[in-house]
Amino acid sequence: MKKFLSVILCLGIMVTNTFALEGELGYFGGTTPGTKIPTGIALAQDKFELENNYTLPYKETIYLSGAPVVVSGTLELKPGEMDPDETTGDYKETYIVRAVSDDKQTEISRSLTLETIYVRNDITGQTTKSSQVSNWTETVVTGGKSYFLDEDLSSFSKSMIEDNTPGVKYYSGDVYYNAVYTSGADKLSMKVDSRIYGYDQAFAKSETQKRNITIDTGDNQYYIEETPTTTMSKELAYAGNEPHAISFAGNYKELIKGEGVLTYNMLVGGDLVHEDDLSGTVSVTDNPSLEQLALPFLSQLNGHPAKADVEKMYSMGIFDMNPLGFSPNQVVTRGQYIKMLVKALRIPLPEITTKSKKNAPPIVSPFSDLDINHDLYIYAKAALDAGLVIGGNINADDPLTIEQMITFNVRAIGLLRLGMTVANTQTPFVDDNQISDYAKPSIYAATKIGILPSTNGYIFPQKLVTYQDCAALMNNFIDYLRYDLQKDYNQHMMM
Amino acid sequence: MKKTLTAALATFLFLTPNIQTTATQLYYNQEEYNNVLNEILYEYNGIVVENHPLFGYLTYKNADGDIIKAPYYTSSLVVEKQNIEEIEDRIGYIDELFPSYEFDSRDSTIENIKPGDNIYIRTDEQGYIKYISAYTDYSLRYGKIDNIKLINQNEALISFTDENGQTFFNQPLSIDTFVTKLGRPISINDIRPGEWAKFLVSRARVEEGFIEEEILEIVVDPDSRVVEDIYKGDVLQLGSFDNSLKLSDAQVLEQTGFGQYVDIISFNANPRNFDAYLDGRQTSFDYMKKFVSGSQMTAYVAIEEFMGKENVAKMNVQNDFTKLIKPAMVIDTSATEIRLMGGEILRPNQDSIVLKGDRLVSPNNILVGDTIQTIVDASNNLIVAKAVENIGQGPLTVYRGTIKKINDYDVFVVETFSLLDQDEWYYHPQPRTFALDSNTRFYDEEGFVENGIDTFLGYGTNTEINEIFTIVADGDKAVLVSKMPYTREVAKGVVYIDTEAAEDEEAASILLKDVFYYNVDENLWRQFDQTNLGIGIELEENGFIIKNGELIEANRLKKGDEVSVMLTDELVNLLEDEGDGEGDEVPLVPGYIILVK
């Protein structure tokens, strides 16, 4: 039954990963709060399916009149879907924008359909995509004039690359377009080049575009730099129950909320626009949604310094042993930690059948020391498929050390390259000489991104990880995924 | 790790510097050719510990953790280093295989190899370095600048605190470190305490338990993270559902004191970095939520505008008597006291909210000479201090003169000019030259002239020679050129409502109270109206406003601004001409030049 549920959960998550949801900003400089990250409850449902049509709150800045004018409205998004079983394929994606300014003097109506083709590279684990426009209509009213897009003279191209690491999908790409508008006898062109960056993981997702815009009205030319960004994240909060006569004191909940922010800077703007008005920031938010998380009663931890960390682990379903038998000083094994990471990062679980088909060769475990019938096998296989571990000896029953845990964490989010310097890396810890060579790049990278303090005495790399250590370090790791990774994609990019 | 190469590429590798620098062809004899062809190369990599170009050696730590000393002859050394601004090696390795005369941004010199650099080196069999390829492994930090101080002509020290509260104290900074804001280079001197910035740092030295970082580049927040407003109100609710703070009966601090009451106002409040104090003690979001919400205690809240939202930057809750002190100049400061011109001695504390230059700063950034508006408790503990900008016209000067000569798109000369100073025109019987550029704004009786520089000509049927213009200049550069009447008369008053908030038919007018006008005959200022009805100034199409050293639109005038208005005639005469000033209606007069004091 347990495996059956896992398979169902796995299918739901796989659907999540096959949707091509980059483009939640719409590629035209607007911003939205993004689409909601599915809750755990939704993913656990038999009939869970992601929607194929979203309508999001939307804001964009129109520059055609020489001054930035903010319009608000909606972005209707129909994302495409990649076939998980094919290395090549194509899909269609549609973006429909309707927005108007506060004073109703400026409005925009736009519809764009893209035909996207993709190919997966099995060697790099990356997917490349290329999009061409199949339909593009647009009308802008601003400054007392109406501008109509001339589709024949306009062009649009988009190219993306995705890198799938075990726990995070990163992507980047470029969009270039030349929009030619007519207004009576006048012609106006807007050339845009844009870099796109984004990531998607279990606790948050962000997308940012760095856009350079050149507008030529014939009489005047304008140049704008703008950075639209969107972030959808899950925040964790505790809610205490006020009544005394209630069976549980409180529980954790995840607050899923999105925020889109657009910063703009007209380096060359209209003559009459005041310097202070040439740059600005607009934001758009959605209504947060909540998911209550179940929390067992851990009486043995009352007053324990790691109580909150352990409770969070239980709430997120990462610790799943019987709470009555939980001991914070028990050592975590490598196999148990791999399972925790797979669950936390929602790495898809494979479908496991122990019986091979008739005349088919017997199913053999890729691990020499982990049988296919072992409870941890499904998680180890998921970790193997995702690239978190390699085959051979997985040593699932060996105790986990601090350096192994950090190595798993950094590898899981695909940021090992930050620690891969030319020479052997030197970490800032006093007991650096105790760190194994293989673990140094990961620990170095961990100090760079902040999931370990950059200067803080000893790390004790060979110390065996207990459940209390594991809870504290893993919470810090998950907090990075919830709150800090996004800063590289939103607030740091806006400067 | 050691690898031998007998590659023919060595031929070119070792010749490259000579060929590149002298651009002359070298010829080997057979013995030299064989020597180069068969020379054994040794390759190593590591992290530079020290580099001494004067003594001809560097030391580096290799993969085994050993410190290796490697000598070199500067004259026969090729150095390449990946600069932080280069996103790729555009020339590539080909210029090491074959001589290339084009510019390669990676080409460098041994002086640029710094401790902490990752190096890949090749040595000859005697161990002398022949080639170095280096790059700097850098990290990103983000924080609020606490202070920056120059220690000599070449170095400064900067301290900043990141969002997790970790302080980076007195980080050394070279004076030529690249600093940008809004994508444009700025000087280190233009960095202000309280500003947020991104720091690109290299780990210059890493030892066991020790790390030393060097700042390579600073990107200053483009004024998107400013703290302009301080609100006073009762804490109504701290919402954990939407991370918000709601104040009831809230008032914003204005130049003249606290403004209109707002029933309920809401701000974002992040429980993860909530910076709140209750009677001087720092307290948590949950504590405030449980024990302060709904109470009658008074909260002073500094609001930060960031990413399009209004966020609580700092909150100070008081259960005591507080008083507002009008703006006064600081005449003395120490770590524990701030003395004002009026004699008050204020005591800054950890919970003091201090705003300077639209930034939240620590109290030690209040300097002698600053003018601050303050709120203190009964013991004169400083609750709020807001530095008041006192720039006035700043670098902008107003002239009026007759055009004598115009060089198209370049400069123009006025025959003689009058200079507006202290609301009076002072005549100077001498020519003066002003520079023009694409940012110069031109106005005529109809208002703004688009691309006016194209029609500002000294010839043809529309020649401007002998025409009289009013000029706003920043030094010698004309910022604004306007054809407007001579404005010899002056009135002054105080803006009593934000112009953007004005209503009805007076919406476009600048409403002034406490109005005085200058009577030339009597040579004194006279009060306009005993009942203080005030006047409304209608800014003409070719008029302008100067505030804090820049030209502004009328909607940027704020309640409390003290202004002088240059008029074409004495105020009372203008009112008679306009037929206004009767009944309860605010009389309106046309104004051309408005200067905020």
Short mmCIF file of all heavy atoms in Angstrom, two decimals, chain B residues 12-55:
data_model
loop_
_atom_site.label_atom_id
_atom_site.label_comp_id
_atom_site.label_asym_id
_atom_site.label_seq_id
_atom_site.Cartn_x
_atom_site.Cartn_y
_atom_site.Cartn_z
N PHE B 12 55.68 28.41 -29.71
CA PHE B 12 54.93 29.66 -29.79
C PHE B 12 54.68 30.24 -28.41
O PHE B 12 54.70 31.42 -28.20
CB PHE B 12 53.62 29.41 -30.50
CG PHE B 12 53.83 28.81 -31.86
CD1 PHE B 12 53.63 27.47 -32.09
CD2 PHE B 12 54.26 29.62 -32.90
CE1 PHE B 12 53.84 26.93 -33.32
CE2 PHE B 12 54.48 29.08 -34.15
CZ PHE B 12 54.27 27.74 -34.38
N LEU B 13 54.45 29.33 -27.49
CA LEU B 13 54.14 29.79 -26.14
C LEU B 13 55.24 30.70 -25.61
O LEU B 13 54.97 31.77 -25.08
CB LEU B 13 53.96 28.57 -25.24
CG LEU B 13 53.71 28.87 -23.78
CD1 LEU B 13 52.35 29.53 -23.65
CD2 LEU B 13 53.76 27.60 -22.96
N PHE B 14 56.47 30.25 -25.75
CA PHE B 14 57.55 31.03 -25.16
C PHE B 14 57.93 32.23 -25.99
O PHE B 14 58.49 33.18 -25.51
CB PHE B 14 58.78 30.14 -24.95
CG PHE B 14 58.53 29.05 -23.96
CD1 PHE B 14 59.05 27.79 -24.13
CD2 PHE B 14 57.72 29.28 -22.85
CE1 PHE B 14 58.80 26.80 -23.20
CE2 PHE B 14 57.46 28.30 -21.94
CZ PHE B 14 58.00 27.05 -22.12
N LEU B 15 57.57 32.17 -27.23
CA LEU B 15 57.90 33.31 -28.07
C LEU B 15 56.84 34.39 -28.01
O LEU B 15 57.10 35.54 -28.30
CB LEU B 15 58.03 32.85 -29.53
CG LEU B 15 59.32 32.10 -29.85
CD1 LEU B 15 59.29 31.63 -31.28
CD2 LEU B 15 60.51 33.01 -29.62
N THR B 16 55.67 34.00 -27.62
CA THR B 16 54.54 34.91 -27.72
C THR B 16 54.80 36.30 -27.14
O THR B 16 54.55 37.29 -27.81
CB THR B 16 53.30 34.30 -27.06
OG1 THR B 16 53.05 33.09 -27.74
CG2 THR B 16 52.11 35.23 -27.16
N PRO B 17 55.34 36.43 -25.92
CA PRO B 17 55.48 37.78 -25.39
C PRO B 17 56.39 38.65 -26.23
O PRO B 17 56.10 39.83 -26.46
CB PRO B 17 56.06 37.55 -23.99
CG PRO B 17 56.62 36.18 -24.00
CD PRO B 17 55.82 35.42 -24.98
N ASN B 18 57.47 38.06 -26.66
CA ASN B 18 58.38 38.88 -27.46
C ASN B 18 57.74 39.29 -28.78
O ASN B 18 57.83 40.44 -29.21
CB ASN B 18 59.67 38.11 -27.76
CG ASN B 18 60.47 37.91 -26.49
OD1 ASN B 18 60.32 38.71 -25.56
ND2 ASN B 18 61.28 36.87 -26.43
N ILE B 19 57.09 38.33 -29.37
CA ILE B 19 56.48 38.63 -30.67
C ILE B 19 55.38 39.66 -30.50
O ILE B 19 55.28 40.61 -31.25
CB ILE B 19 55.93 37.34 -31.30
CG1 ILE B 19 57.09 36.42 -31.63
CG2 ILE B 19 55.12 37.66 -32.54
CD1 ILE B 19 56.67 35.04 -32.06
N GLN B 20 54.60 39.48 -29.44
CA GLN B 20 53.47 40.40 -29.26
C GLN B 20 53.94 41.81 -28.94
O GLN B 20 53.40 42.78 -29.44
CB GLN B 20 52.58 39.91 -28.13
CG GLN B 20 51.68 38.77 -28.58
CD GLN B 20 50.80 38.32 -27.46
OE1 GLN B 20 51.22 38.34 -26.31
NE2 GLN B 20 49.61 37.89 -27.78
N THR B 21 54.94 41.88 -28.11
CA THR B 21 55.32 43.21 -27.66
C THR B 21 56.18 43.95 -28.68
O THR B 21 56.07 45.15 -28.84
CB THR B 21 56.10 43.13 -26.34
OG1 THR B 21 57.15 42.19 -26.51
CG2 THR B 21 55.21 42.67 -25.22
N THR B 22 57.01 43.19 -29.38
CA THR B 22 57.88 43.89 -30.32
C THR B 22 57.37 43.79 -31.75
O THR B 22 57.80 44.53 -32.61
CB THR B 22 59.29 43.28 -30.28
OG1 THR B 22 59.20 41.92 -30.67
CG2 THR B 22 59.89 43.39 -28.89
N ALA B 23 56.46 42.83 -31.97
CA ALA B 23 55.92 42.64 -33.30
C ALA B 23 57.03 42.41 -34.31
O ALA B 23 56.98 42.89 -35.43
CB ALA B 23 55.03 43.80 -33.72
N THR B 24 58.05 41.72 -33.89
CA THR B 24 59.12 41.39 -34.83
C THR B 24 59.27 39.88 -34.90
O THR B 24 58.97 39.18 -33.93
CB THR B 24 60.47 41.97 -34.38
OG1 THR B 24 60.75 41.51 -33.08
CG2 THR B 24 60.46 43.49 -34.42
N GLN B 25 59.72 39.36 -36.03
CA GLN B 25 59.84 37.93 -36.20
C GLN B 25 61.19 37.47 -35.64
O GLN B 25 62.22 38.09 -35.88
CB GLN B 25 59.75 37.59 -37.68
CG GLN B 25 59.76 36.12 -37.99
CD GLN B 25 58.55 35.41 -37.39
OE1 GLN B 25 57.42 35.84 -37.59
NE2 GLN B 25 58.80 34.36 -36.64
N LEU B 26 61.18 36.36 -34.86
CA LEU B 26 62.42 35.79 -34.35
C LEU B 26 62.78 34.57 -35.17
O LEU B 26 61.90 33.83 -35.63
CB LEU B 26 62.25 35.38 -32.89
CG LEU B 26 62.12 36.51 -31.87
CD1 LEU B 26 62.02 35.92 -30.48
CD2 LEU B 26 63.32 37.44 -31.96
N TYR B 27 64.03 34.34 -35.31
CA TYR B 27 64.49 33.15 -36.04
C TYR B 27 65.38 32.33 -35.12
O TYR B 27 66.27 32.87 -34.46
CB TYR B 27 65.25 33.54 -37.30
CG TYR B 27 64.35 34.20 -38.32
CD1 TYR B 27 64.29 35.59 -38.42
CD2 TYR B 27 63.57 33.43 -39.17
CE1 TYR B 27 63.46 36.19 -39.33
CE2 TYR B 27 62.73 34.03 -40.09
CZ TYR B 27 62.68 35.41 -40.17
OH TYR B 27 61.84 36.01 -41.05
N TYR B 28 65.11 31.02 -35.07
CA TYR B 28 65.96 30.13 -34.29
C TYR B 28 67.06 29.53 -35.20
O TYR B 28 66.82 29.29 -36.38
CB TYR B 28 65.15 28.94 -33.76
CG TYR B 28 64.17 29.30 -32.66
CD1 TYR B 28 62.81 29.04 -32.80
CD2 TYR B 28 64.63 29.85 -31.46
CE1 TYR B 28 61.92 29.35 -31.80
CE2 TYR B 28 63.74 30.15 -30.45
CZ TYR B 28 62.40 29.91 -30.64
OH TYR B 28 61.52 30.19 -29.63
N ASN B 29 68.18 29.28 -34.58
CA ASN B 29 69.10 28.38 -35.28
C ASN B 29 68.68 26.95 -34.91
O ASN B 29 67.77 26.74 -34.09
CB ASN B 29 70.56 28.68 -34.92
CG ASN B 29 70.81 28.54 -33.43
OD1 ASN B 29 70.20 27.68 -32.79
ND2 ASN B 29 71.69 29.37 -32.87
N GLN B 30 69.29 25.97 -35.51
CA GLN B 30 68.83 24.59 -35.34
C GLN B 30 68.90 24.15 -33.89
O GLN B 30 68.03 23.46 -33.37
CB GLN B 30 69.69 23.66 -36.21
CG GLN B 30 69.14 22.22 -36.29
CD GLN B 30 67.72 22.18 -36.85
OE1 GLN B 30 67.43 22.84 -37.85
NE2 GLN B 30 66.82 21.46 -36.17
N GLU B 31 69.93 24.60 -33.18
CA GLU B 31 70.10 24.19 -31.78
C GLU B 31 68.99 24.77 -30.92
O GLU B 31 68.39 24.07 -30.08
CB GLU B 31 71.46 24.65 -31.29
CG GLU B 31 71.78 24.16 -29.87
CD GLU B 31 73.11 24.70 -29.37
OE1 GLU B 31 73.85 25.29 -30.17
OE2 GLU B 31 73.36 24.53 -28.18
N GLU B 32 68.71 26.05 -31.15
CA GLU B 32 67.63 26.69 -30.38
C GLU B 32 66.29 26.02 -30.69
O GLU B 32 65.47 25.79 -29.81
CB GLU B 32 67.55 28.18 -30.72
CG GLU B 32 68.71 29.00 -30.16
CD GLU B 32 68.73 30.41 -30.72
OE1 GLU B 32 68.18 30.63 -31.82
OE2 GLU B 32 69.31 31.28 -30.07
N TYR B 33 66.09 25.72 -31.96
CA TYR B 33 64.84 25.10 -32.37
C TYR B 33 64.64 23.77 -31.66
O TYR B 33 63.56 23.47 -31.13
CB TYR B 33 64.85 24.90 -33.89
CG TYR B 33 63.54 24.40 -34.44
CD1 TYR B 33 62.54 25.28 -34.83
CD2 TYR B 33 63.30 23.03 -34.55
CE1 TYR B 33 61.34 24.83 -35.33
CE2 TYR B 33 62.09 22.56 -35.05
CZ TYR B 33 61.11 23.47 -35.44
OH TYR B 33 59.91 23.00 -35.92
N ASN B 34 65.70 22.98 -31.61
CA ASN B 34 65.61 21.68 -30.95
C ASN B 34 65.40 21.83 -29.46
O ASN B 34 64.67 21.05 -28.84
CB ASN B 34 66.89 20.87 -31.21
CG ASN B 34 66.96 20.41 -32.65
OD1 ASN B 34 65.94 20.31 -33.34
ND2 ASN B 34 68.17 20.19 -33.14
N ASN B 35 66.03 22.84 -28.89
CA ASN B 35 65.86 23.06 -27.46
C ASN B 35 64.39 23.34 -27.12
O ASN B 35 63.83 22.80 -26.17
CB ASN B 35 66.71 24.24 -26.98
CG ASN B 35 68.15 23.86 -26.82
OD1 ASN B 35 68.48 22.67 -26.75
ND2 ASN B 35 69.03 24.85 -26.79
N VAL B 36 63.80 24.20 -27.91
CA VAL B 36 62.41 24.56 -27.65
C VAL B 36 61.49 23.38 -27.92
O VAL B 36 60.58 23.07 -27.14
CB VAL B 36 62.00 25.77 -28.51
CG1 VAL B 36 60.50 26.05 -28.35
CG2 VAL B 36 62.82 26.98 -28.11
N LEU B 37 61.80 22.67 -29.03
CA LEU B 37 60.96 21.55 -29.43
C LEU B 37 60.94 20.46 -28.36
O LEU B 37 59.90 19.88 -28.05
CB LEU B 37 61.48 20.97 -30.75
CG LEU B 37 60.70 19.79 -31.32
CD1 LEU B 37 59.30 20.23 -31.72
CD2 LEU B 37 61.43 19.20 -32.52
N ASN B 38 62.08 20.23 -27.78
CA ASN B 38 62.19 19.12 -26.83
C ASN B 38 62.12 19.55 -25.38
O ASN B 38 62.34 18.75 -24.48
CB ASN B 38 63.52 18.37 -27.06
CG ASN B 38 63.56 17.77 -28.46
OD1 ASN B 38 62.59 17.20 -28.92
ND2 ASN B 38 64.67 17.97 -29.15
N GLU B 39 61.84 20.81 -25.18
CA GLU B 39 61.82 21.28 -23.79
C GLU B 39 60.69 20.61 -23.01
O GLU B 39 59.59 20.42 -23.53
CB GLU B 39 61.65 22.79 -23.74
CG GLU B 39 61.80 23.33 -22.34
CD GLU B 39 61.92 24.84 -22.35
OE1 GLU B 39 61.73 25.43 -23.41
OE2 GLU B 39 62.19 25.40 -21.29
N ILE B 40 61.01 20.28 -21.81
CA ILE B 40 60.01 19.62 -20.97
C ILE B 40 59.27 20.69 -20.16
O ILE B 40 59.88 21.56 -19.56
CB ILE B 40 60.70 18.63 -20.03
CG1 ILE B 40 61.38 17.53 -20.85
CG2 ILE B 40 59.70 18.02 -19.06
CD1 ILE B 40 62.22 16.60 -20.02
N LEU B 41 57.97 20.60 -20.19
CA LEU B 41 57.14 21.55 -19.44
C LEU B 41 56.54 20.84 -18.23
O LEU B 41 56.23 19.65 -18.30
CB LEU B 41 56.00 22.06 -20.31
CG LEU B 41 56.35 23.11 -21.34
CD1 LEU B 41 55.11 23.43 -22.14
CD2 LEU B 41 56.87 24.35 -20.66
N TYR B 42 56.39 21.56 -17.17
CA TYR B 42 55.76 21.02 -15.98
C TYR B 42 54.54 21.89 -15.68
O TYR B 42 54.61 23.11 -15.75
CB TYR B 42 56.72 21.07 -14.79
CG TYR B 42 57.96 20.23 -15.03
CD1 TYR B 42 59.07 20.76 -15.68
CD2 TYR B 42 58.01 18.91 -14.60
CE1 TYR B 42 60.19 20.00 -15.90
CE2 TYR B 42 59.13 18.13 -14.82
CZ TYR B 42 60.23 18.67 -15.47
OH TYR B 42 61.33 17.92 -15.69
N GLU B 43 53.44 21.25 -15.38
CA GLU B 43 52.19 21.99 -15.12
C GLU B 43 51.75 21.77 -13.68
O GLU B 43 51.80 20.64 -13.18
CB GLU B 43 51.09 21.49 -16.05
CG GLU B 43 51.34 21.80 -17.50
CD GLU B 43 50.17 21.37 -18.37
OE1 GLU B 43 49.31 20.63 -17.87
OE2 GLU B 43 50.14 21.77 -19.54
N TYR B 44 51.33 22.84 -13.05
CA TYR B 44 50.83 22.77 -11.68
C TYR B 44 49.63 23.70 -11.56
O TYR B 44 49.45 24.61 -12.37
CB TYR B 44 51.90 23.24 -10.68
CG TYR B 44 53.20 22.48 -10.78
CD1 TYR B 44 54.26 22.99 -11.52
CD2 TYR B 44 53.38 21.27 -10.11
CE1 TYR B 44 55.46 22.31 -11.61
CE2 TYR B 44 54.57 20.58 -10.19
CZ TYR B 44 55.62 21.09 -10.94
OH TYR B 44 56.80 20.42 -11.03
N ASN B 45 48.90 23.53 -10.51
CA ASN B 45 47.90 24.54 -10.17
C ASN B 45 47.79 24.68 -8.67
O ASN B 45 48.26 23.83 -7.90
CB ASN B 45 46.55 24.26 -10.82
CG ASN B 45 45.99 22.91 -10.44
OD1 ASN B 45 46.39 22.34 -9.44
ND2 ASN B 45 45.08 22.41 -11.24
N GLY B 46 47.18 25.79 -8.27
CA GLY B 46 47.07 26.04 -6.83
C GLY B 46 46.48 27.42 -6.58
O GLY B 46 45.94 28.07 -7.48
N ILE B 47 46.56 27.84 -5.33
CA ILE B 47 46.05 29.15 -4.94
C ILE B 47 47.22 30.00 -4.47
O ILE B 47 48.01 29.56 -3.63
CB ILE B 47 45.00 29.01 -3.81
CG1 ILE B 47 43.81 28.17 -4.30
CG2 ILE B 47 44.53 30.37 -3.35
CD1 ILE B 47 42.82 27.84 -3.23
N VAL B 48 47.32 31.21 -5.00
CA VAL B 48 48.45 32.07 -4.66
C VAL B 48 48.38 32.48 -3.19
O VAL B 48 47.34 32.90 -2.69
CB VAL B 48 48.44 33.34 -5.55
CG1 VAL B 48 49.55 34.30 -5.14
CG2 VAL B 48 48.57 32.95 -7.01
N VAL B 49 49.51 32.33 -2.52
CA VAL B 49 49.60 32.77 -1.13
C VAL B 49 50.27 34.15 -1.07
O VAL B 49 49.78 35.08 -0.43
CB VAL B 49 50.41 31.75 -0.29
CG1 VAL B 49 50.56 32.24 1.15
CG2 VAL B 49 49.72 30.39 -0.32
N GLU B 50 51.38 34.27 -1.78
CA GLU B 50 52.09 35.56 -1.84
C GLU B 50 52.63 35.73 -3.24
O GLU B 50 52.93 34.74 -3.93
CB GLU B 50 53.27 35.59 -0.86
CG GLU B 50 52.89 35.58 0.60
CD GLU B 50 54.12 35.49 1.49
OE1 GLU B 50 55.03 34.70 1.16
OE2 GLU B 50 54.17 36.19 2.50
N ASN B 51 52.79 36.98 -3.65
CA ASN B 51 53.43 37.25 -4.93
C ASN B 51 54.39 38.43 -4.75
O ASN B 51 53.97 39.48 -4.24
CB ASN B 51 52.38 37.57 -5.99
CG ASN B 51 53.02 37.85 -7.34
OD1 ASN B 51 54.14 37.40 -7.61
ND2 ASN B 51 52.34 38.60 -8.19
N HIS B 52 55.64 38.25 -5.13
CA HIS B 52 56.64 39.30 -4.96
C HIS B 52 57.33 39.57 -6.29
O HIS B 52 58.41 39.03 -6.55
CB HIS B 52 57.67 38.89 -3.90
CG HIS B 52 57.07 38.63 -2.56
ND1 HIS B 52 56.66 39.63 -1.71
CD2 HIS B 52 56.77 37.46 -1.94
CE1 HIS B 52 56.15 39.09 -0.61
NE2 HIS B 52 56.21 37.77 -0.72
N PRO B 53 56.72 40.36 -7.16
CA PRO B 53 57.33 40.62 -8.47
C PRO B 53 58.73 41.23 -8.36
O PRO B 53 59.60 40.93 -9.18
CB PRO B 53 56.36 41.62 -9.11
CG PRO B 53 55.07 41.40 -8.42
CD PRO B 53 55.42 41.02 -7.02
N LEU B 54 58.94 42.06 -7.33
CA LEU B 54 60.26 42.69 -7.19
C LEU B 54 61.34 41.65 -6.94
O LEU B 54 62.48 41.79 -7.39
CB LEU B 54 60.24 43.69 -6.04
CG LEU B 54 59.68 45.07 -6.36
CD1 LEU B 54 59.68 45.93 -5.11
CD2 LEU B 54 60.49 45.73 -7.46
N PHE B 55 60.99 40.62 -6.20
CA PHE B 55 61.97 39.58 -5.88
C PHE B 55 61.88 38.39 -6.83
O PHE B 55 62.65 37.43 -6.72
CB PHE B 55 61.79 39.10 -4.44
CG PHE B 55 61.93 40.21 -3.44
CD1 PHE B 55 60.84 40.64 -2.72
CD2 PHE B 55 63.15 40.86 -3.26
CE1 PHE B 55 60.97 41.69 -1.81
CE2 PHE B 55 63.27 41.90 -2.36
CZ PHE B 55 62.18 42.32 -1.63
#
